[in-house]
Amino acid sequence: MRSDGGRRLLACVDDRARHCGLAPGMTAVRAHALAPGLALADHDPAADREALETVGLWLLRRYSPVVGIDDGIDGEGEADGLRLDIAGSAHLFGGEVRLVADLAARLARSGFAARVAVADTAGAAHALARFGSSGTVVVPPGEALAALAGLPVAALRLPPAAVEGLERMGLVRIGQLYGMPRAPLVRRFGEALACCLDRAAGVRAEPFTRLDNPELLAVRRRFAEPIAAPGQILHQVQSLCARLADRLAAAGAGARRLDLVCGRVDRSHAGLSLGLSAPVRDPRRLSALLRERLALVDPGFGVEDIQLAAPQTEAMAQAQIRLGARGADGTDGRADLAMLVDRLHASGKARRLFRLAARESDLPERSFVRVDALTRPPPATFAAAGPVRLLAHPEPVSTLALLPDYPPRRFAWRGHTHDVRHADGPERIYGEWWRAADEGDAVRDYFIVEDTAGHRFWLFRAGDGEHGETGPQRWFIHGLFG
């Protein structure tokens, strides 16, 4: 609740109050008449901003190198949200959709009721977060204007007088403004309308002041004159990598994530984030990883300052390299799998890197699990039988076979018919009733078969060949031998 002259007005309402018909801007007297048991609290903008800054610093460490408080166009409104630039960090979470889902879930677990929207422009994201039909919205690239078309004109952050004027003319939706001549609208409602439309469409930049965490392990360089050439930016990034490496060494830590933020002359920012598979503080390695993605940073009309930060670090002890093990470039000649993994991720050439670890199970498809590429699997204490090449899923085949114990004489798979020359089996595997209730009586009989061309296959019959409760008695191929 806030005071406006001699009146007390509602500044914001929760979901229960909204369901009672209450809305921001309503007088306290009317609100009490609609909801007699209403509890009011004084509006404290300073405390709200402090709370937003606290959440923003957490977002800065986890989700994006560029986070700022959303306080209206050009900072002229009250702080009522947070803005993130995730263009350079969404890949760390598997894309924008997964990032939004993770963010919304974590905020909900922390007790925050949040609405999240992702769009090409800050104006579109602001409108969809506050006026969209869903609590989480991710607009595909290039579709921001289409997503805004059905929203009310108030979503453009226009002055109240302009909103009222547009509504009196019957212009209640943003889409109605797209095809109208711009000059008459500007003469009637002022330059603010054109500015808001341009910012929502991405024609005009919308700068904001980003949050800066003083506790962050970071280095920064400001320039007397803006720089824009890729070679100049790369040179400065390499210098910052050396400085950051010194600070990491002093702290006895290595970086697990790197955030690079370039402040442009129009007060906008361009940033990128890199996740590292192992702690790193070698400046040459840091600069090599950043070089892979530096082309994605748009300098705009010039860069005034660059900041390189390590928001996530891990303890890292000094390591002594082996004598006589140096490579041609003077570095340790041992294979560095972590460097390979990081460079593949940085270049975008490896969407999913993993290794396989053994898991105790008789069923072949359950006998392994995917783990992180750099995780060292524990020694295998169990090994399931099977071929070198296992299919992702058993595939059905058409067979000619005598039941219940004979292998197939002929089978057809992927459009080709194979005549069986030799076969070995059956090897019976039972279902795992402790994992799935419907596997209590399940049976598989596996056969190794060789066709007349010398190719060897791993086939199984789902069922014992006699009793229907053990399986459908159908044949499948599960793998191929070398």
Side-chain angles (χ1 to χ4, degrees):
M1 182 184 63
R2 58 185 173 85
S3 297
D4 182 16
R7 300 185 305 168
R8 296 190 304 164
L9 305 177
L10 299 185
C12 58
V13 296
D14 61 11
D15 288 338
R16 292 181 61 187
R18 190 175 291 107
H19 290 157
C20 295
L22 277 59
M26 183 180 293
T27 63
V29 174
R30 185 181 177 190
H32 273 299
L34 294 174
L38 180 65
L40 297 176
D42 289 335
H43 179 41
D44 189 348
D48 289 347
R49 189 177 188 89
E50 183 178 352
L52 284 173
E53 287 181 356
T54 301
V55 177
L57 293 178
W58 169 70
L59 297 175
L60 188 66
R61 284 188 173 275
R62 179 168 180 83
Y63 292 103
S64 171
V66 181
V67 178
I69 293 181
D70 193 352
D71 49 7
I73 296 180
D74 298 327
E76 297 178 354
E78 288 189 0
D80 67 345
L82 292 162
R83 291 173 52 177
L84 290 76
D85 184 345
I86 61 172
S89 59
H91 67 283
L92 298 179
F93 297 85
E96 295 173 348
V97 175
R98 291 188 177 182
L99 186 152
V100 168
D102 184 78
L103 171 58
R106 289 178 181 273
L107 288 174
R109 288 197 297 268
S110 300
F112 292 100
R115 295 175 61 88
V116 185
V118 177
D120 292 339
T121 66
H126 181 281
L128 291 164
R130 290 158 178 79
F131 294 86
S133 59
S134 175
T136 57
V137 181
V138 178
V139 180
E143 299 184 14
L145 289 181
L148 289 176
L151 298 184
V153 291
L156 290 175
R157 296 173 288 176
L158 293 168
V163 174
E164 293 177 6
L166 289 169
E167 291 175 346
R168 284 197 300 269
M169 294 178 60
L171 301 173
V172 296
R173 301 294 175 189
I174 296 177
Q176 295 175 276
L177 304 177
Y178 290 163
M180 298 191 66
R182 183 66 60 86
L185 289 175
V186 172
R187 283 197 302 269
R188 187 176 181 92
F189 300 105
E191 184 64 29
L193 176 58
C195 177
C196 290
L197 283 171
D198 287 344
R199 285 178 167 172
V203 177
R204 187 179 304 193
E206 186 174 342
F208 69 101
T209 302
R210 68 185 184 91
L211 292 175
D212 192 9
N213 187 354
E215 299 179 359
L216 200 64
L217 191 61
V219 290
R220 172 179 287 181
R221 176 160 293 174
R222 294 181 173 87
F223 312 114
E225 295 291 336
I227 62 174
Q232 292 177 308
I233 296 176
L234 176 60
H235 175 73
Q236 297 299 333
V237 168
Q238 291 173 334
S239 176
L240 290 174
C241 286
R243 290 172 55 192
L244 182 63
D246 292 339
R247 293 197 58 182
L248 288 168
R256 288 299 305 270
R257 195 185 101 189
L258 289 177
D259 285 352
L260 180 72
V261 181
C262 296
R264 295 183 286 217
V265 294
D266 60 358
R267 291 180 52 217
S268 62
H269 304 86
L272 63 86
S273 295
L274 286 179
L276 305 176
S277 55
V280 178
R281 63 167 175 255
D282 180 359
R284 288 172 296 185
R285 180 171 169 186
L286 294 176
S287 60
L289 293 173
L290 288 169
R291 188 188 306 118
E292 299 283 351
R293 297 185 63 86
L294 204 56
L296 301 178
V297 177
D298 179 11
F301 295 106
V303 173
E304 289 185 321
D305 69 89
I306 301 177
Q307 175 180 288
L308 180 63
Q312 297 176 11
T313 61
E314 187 176 311
M316 183 179 181
Q318 294 284 356
Q320 174 66 49
I321 64 173
R322 296 180 300 171
L323 294 176
R326 291 183 175 274
D329 58 353
T331 60
D332 189 351
R334 291 173 291 181
D336 190 350
L337 182 59
M339 180 62 176
L340 172 62
V341 170
D342 289 339
R343 293 200 65 177
L344 287 173
H345 278 299
S347 63
K349 297 177 181 178
R351 295 288 183 184
R352 301 178 67 185
L353 287 174
F354 61 89
R355 66 169 56 183
L356 299 178
R359 183 170 64 176
E360 189 168 343
S361 176
D362 285 324
L363 294 179
E365 64 268 27
R366 295 179 184 164
S367 63
F368 60 89
V369 63
R370 292 183 179 186
V371 298
D372 185 81
L374 293 182
T375 298
R376 187 180 298 276
T381 59
F382 180 86
V388 175
R389 180 187 175 190
L390 191 70
L391 300 181
H393 303 283
E395 298 181 13
V397 295
S398 301
T399 60
L400 177 64
L402 294 176
L403 298 179
D405 297 325
Y406 287 90
R409 294 180 177 178
R410 177 182 299 169
F411 68 93
W413 175 55
R414 295 185 179 178
H416 296 280
T417 300
H418 302 266
D419 292 316
V420 176
R421 181 171 59 184
H422 300 293
D424 183 23
E427 177 187 1
R428 178 158 293 182
I429 294 178
Y430 292 92
E432 299 176 339
W433 54 265
W434 60 93
R435 296 183 187 270
D438 60 348
E439 294 184 10
D441 299 317
V443 168
R444 292 182 184 178
D445 283 340
Y446 278 86
F447 292 85
I448 300 175
V449 301
E450 181 179 323
D451 66 6
T452 53
H455 302 123
R456 302 171 67 208
F457 306 88
W458 205 33
L459 305 180
F460 74 86
R461 182 185 61 240
D464 62 2
E466 297 181 286
H467 305 94
E469 65 271 17
T470 62
Q473 315 304 327
R474 296 175 56 197
W475 286 85
F476 297 84
I477 183 171
H478 207 161
L480 296 89
F481 292 87

